[in-house]
Amino acid sequence: MDLEPTKIPQATAKRLPLYYRFLNNLHSQGKMRVSSKELSDAVKVDSATIRRDFSYFGALGKKGYGYNVEYLLSFFRKTLDQDETTDVALIGVGNLGTAFLNYNFTKNNNTKIKIAFDASEERVGTEVGGVKVEHIDDLEEKMGDLTVAILTVPANAAQGIADRLVKAGVSGILNFTPARISVPHHVRVHHIDLAIELQALVYFLKHYPLEDEEF
Amino acid sequence: MDLEPTKIPQATAKRLPLYYRFLNNLHSQGKMRVSSKELSDAVKVDSATIRRDFSYFGALGKKGYGYNVEYLLSFFRKTLDQDETTDVALIGVGNLGTAFLNYNFTKNNNTKIKIAFDASEERVGTEVGGVKVEHIDDLEEKMGDLTVAILTVPANAAQGIADRLVKAGVSGILNFTPARISVPHHVRVHHIDLAIELQALVYFLKHYPLEDEEF
DNA sequence: TGGAAGTCGTTAAATCCTTCACATAGGAAC
DNA sequence: GTTCCTATGTGAAGGATTTAACGACTTCCA
Ligand SMILES: NC(=O)c1ccc[n+]([C@@H]2O[C@H](COP(=O)([O-])OP(=O)(O)OC[C@H]3O[C@@H](n4cnc5c(N)ncnc54)[C@H](O)[C@@H]3O)[C@@H](O)[C@H]2O)c1
Ligand SMILES: NC(=O)c1ccc[n+]([C@@H]2O[C@H](COP(=O)([O-])OP(=O)(O)OC[C@H]3O[C@@H](n4cnc5c(N)ncnc54)[C@H](O)[C@@H]3O)[C@@H](O)[C@H]2O)c1
């Protein structure tokens, strides 16, 4: 296969959506060209890293000139499949789940929450952020061919729901619960552990004082 | 200074709160000892990585035995300063901010949202999750000596608020807005960009198919 | 008591990622 | 056209992190 260069480092892949978003900003501001240095200031990524990242896709820029915003944008649009929208499901319409539903991920973004599930009778049947809340019992029946799910249920329900999601054909889970879930090898789970992020920030502040270098 | 071993890799530091949480779970389940292998299954981190992480703090375990849960726990409690609570401020009581306020970060956790700010007259004066919402105009006056802030305002307000936070003495910001904010060198910003996390997951699913290895 | 089984701590290798530094291509100026 | 200048693309170096591998020491059981 290998239509795509395949060898793009994961670290680079994680930065692509960020580049894409800022290129969009520049474009809507009417900017025609941009240098790795300018982009660096905007996204706070070293300019050499940006050039290296771009270079994995070939020579996208011109020496002595920089990058053409429109060209770069259309290139990334294809690369990131921004043409087609990816629909995702959300499980657990509580505090976090409600926030996500109310937020429109679709701005500058090719992902959209298409369906939501909850166990609480009070929630089921209501509509949040334009998405109808279904009963968790109907998960298998109503998932259709969605392959990505956002998990915002209580931690103790996480593994059970994950198992059902996998059986229903899901291959990617964005897990916001503190539970570390077990899934088959072909399923990808990304953990976003907000409590840990906060603790880690505090730890770094106390133990890794930033020097006022470069002054 | 170097009271602490100082040379702990950042990657290790980020895993410490995770270890701490799971050790707490084990402890409350009455488990007395644990091996790096067991812990590995629970937190989904390679057992060699766990042993290496722990070894930065000295010899915490016993060969042929494993680790004493209680000892490990009390060690990490000190290391992570779990005795003292760190108070943080939250700016922007919207969808996300409300979710965070309603969530009790304090379980298993030494951080607590102590004060919240918003610009909307409707919000100011109300109480969310037991925290009173102050007016953003009173930020400087009411921050006291808090040094950590969670930023959940609209993207276009992010830089302005960040500047004010820094002037008010904040040295750590957990930034949930898509804006990449600029701060002085002595201030640490951690970005949590939910839209990008979702896009990155989708990108990985499409371009990095997981092989069903080991079967 | 002795030997087998288990698990740590660590050395060394492998992998992955970032940054430096500069030759070189191409635009801009005139 | 010719020259100057700028910013790319990349080879090489440098860091950081993960993983493999194994010697050493402990427990546990016969
Ligand atoms: N809210 C936060 O700020 C925050 C921060 C860090 C972590 N988290 C984690 O995110 C997750 C969700 O947090 P929250 O604050 O939204 O919790 P919540 O209790 O407000 O929401 C959970 C929702 O899941 C539903 N639910 C429960 N069991 C279910 C099941 N079996 N199937 C389907 N739905 C079910 C509940 O009805 C509820 O609506 C939790 O695991 C929490 O630990 C939340
Ligand atoms: N909700 C989500 O799921 C989600 C997902 C991804 C990113 N985000 C980002 O997180 C941020 C917050 O999102 P949200 O959905 O909670 O937005 P929101 O609009 O619901 O909340 C923003 C809150 O900030 C307040 N505010 C506005 N300007 C302010 C100012 N100058 N000072 C203080 N408060 C001010 C508003 O009154 C409002 O209550 C946004 O930047 C958004 O892009 C949110």
Side-chain angles (χ1 to χ4, degrees), chain A residues 99-100 103, chain B residues 92-96 118-120 136 152-155 161 176-178:
Chain A
F100 294 161
Y103 186 76
Chain B
V93 189
N95 290 310
L96 262 194
D118 201 290
S120 149
I136 187 68
T152 49
V153 297
I161 298 290
F176 285 89
T177 79

Side-chain angles (χ1 to χ4, degrees), chain A residues 1-2 4 10 17-18 25 29 31 37 40 61 67 82 94-95 97 107 119 123 153 161-162 173 179 200 202 213:
Chain A
M1 285 300 145
D2 268 39
E4 304 287 333
Q10 305 222 353
L18 184 61
N25 291 354
Q29 284 163 29
K31 258 186 106 56
K37 182 63 175 49
S40 170
Y67 301 90
Q82 294 290 320
N95 291 308
K107 300 175 222 157
R123 301 270 176 195
V153 296
I161 299 290
I173 298 177
V202 169
E213 29 178 71

Side-chain angles (χ1 to χ4, degrees), chain A residues 56-127:
Chain A
Y56 290 116
F57 298 98
L60 300 178
K62 291 204 185 98
K63 302 194 176 187
Y65 174 89
Y67 301 90
N68 178 296
V69 173
E70 195 135 3
Y71 176 72
L72 212 47
L73 199 54
S74 81
F75 180 84
F76 278 124
R77 181 155 38 232
K78 277 181 310 213
T79 302
L80 291 172
D81 305 301
Q82 294 290 320
D83 297 324
E84 45 187 292
T85 299
T86 303
D87 293 332
V88 311
L90 182 143
I91 327 290
V93 188
N95 291 308
L96 262 193
T98 302
F100 294 161
L101 287 173
N102 282 325
Y103 186 76
N104 193 348
F105 275 105
T106 319
K107 300 175 222 157
N108 268 0
N109 204 321
N110 65 335
T111 50
K112 186 166 168 38
I113 300 174
K114 201 60 178 288
I115 189 168
F117 296 93
D118 202 291
S120 148
E121 295 298 344
E122 292 169 29
R123 301 270 176 195
V124 174
T126 64
E127 199 176 293

Side-chain angles (χ1 to χ4, degrees), chain A residues 11-193:
Chain A
T12 295
K14 287 207 203 133
R15 283 187 291 264
L16 297 182
L18 184 61
Y19 297 147
Y20 182 71
R21 181 198 289 154
F22 275 84
L23 287 170
N24 251 321
N25 291 354
L26 292 179
H27 187 246
S28 62
Q29 284 163 29
K31 258 186 106 56
M32 304 302 288
R33 66 186 249 192
V34 66
S35 69
S36 59
K37 182 63 175 49
E38 285 175 279
L39 213 42
S40 170
D41 290 341
V43 300
K44 316 290 180 199
V45 171
D46 187 275
S47 68
T49 300
I50 292 179
R51 290 200 299 283
R52 162 87 37 180
D53 283 347
F54 287 2
S55 79
Y56 290 116
F57 298 98
L60 300 178
K62 291 204 185 98
K63 302 194 176 187
Y65 174 89
Y67 301 90
N68 178 296
V69 173
E70 195 135 3
Y71 176 72
L72 212 47
L73 199 54
S74 81
F75 180 84
F76 278 124
R77 181 155 38 232
K78 277 181 310 213
T79 302
L80 291 172
D81 305 301
Q82 294 290 320
D83 297 324
E84 45 187 292
T85 299
T86 303
D87 293 332
V88 311
L90 182 143
I91 327 290
V93 188
N95 291 308
L96 262 193
T98 302
F100 294 161
L101 287 173
N102 282 325
Y103 186 76
N104 193 348
F105 275 105
T106 319
K107 300 175 222 157
N108 268 0
N109 204 321
N110 65 335
T111 50
K112 186 166 168 38
I113 300 174
K114 201 60 178 288
I115 189 168
F117 296 93
D118 202 291
S120 148
E121 295 298 344
E122 292 169 29
R123 301 270 176 195
V124 174
T126 64
E127 199 176 293
V128 182
V131 177
K132 212 173 132 220
V133 180
E134 308 283 349
H135 196 285
I136 186 69
D137 286 351
D138 302 335
L139 181 77
E140 287 75 8
E141 178 190 342
K142 302 205 165 151
M143 274 292 286
D145 52 1
L146 299 188
T147 59
V148 179
I150 298 173
L151 196 54
T152 48
V153 296
N156 58 25
Q159 183 64 58
I161 299 290
D163 293 343
R164 291 176 61 185
L165 287 170
V166 171
K167 278 216 194 85
V170 162
S171 56
I173 298 177
L174 198 57
N175 177 24
F176 285 89
T177 78
R180 252 48 185 178
I181 59 186
S182 300
V183 295
H185 299 96
H186 64 94
V187 177
R188 184 179 278 271
V189 179
H190 284 198
H191 292 274
I192 302 186
D193 200 318

Side-chain angles (χ1 to χ4, degrees), chain A residues 8 21 42 44 81-82 84 95 102 109 171 178 180-182 185 193 195 199 205-208 210 215, chain B residues 8 21 42 44 81-82 95 102 109 171 178 180-182 185 193 195 199 205-208 210 215:
Chain A
I8 290 158
R21 181 198 289 154
K44 316 290 180 199
D81 305 301
Q82 294 290 320
E84 45 187 292
N95 291 308
N102 282 325
N109 204 321
S171 56
R180 252 48 185 178
I181 59 186
S182 300
H185 299 96
D193 200 318
Q199 268 187 285
L205 287 177
K206 290 201 187 165
H207 296 77
Y208 294 69
L210 300 170
F215 271 125
Chain B
I8 289 160
R21 180 198 289 155
K44 317 288 179 201
D81 305 302
Q82 293 289 322
N95 290 310
N102 281 326
N109 204 321
S171 56
R180 250 50 184 178
I181 59 185
S182 299
H185 299 96
D193 201 318
Q199 269 187 283
L205 287 177
K206 290 200 188 168
H207 297 77
Y208 294 69
L210 299 170
F215 271 125

Side-chain angles (χ1 to χ4, degrees), chain B residues 5 21 23 31 72 78 168 185 200 202 213:
Chain B
R21 180 198 289 155
L23 287 171
K31 260 187 100 61
L72 212 49
K78 276 181 310 213
H185 299 96
V202 169
E213 28 180 73

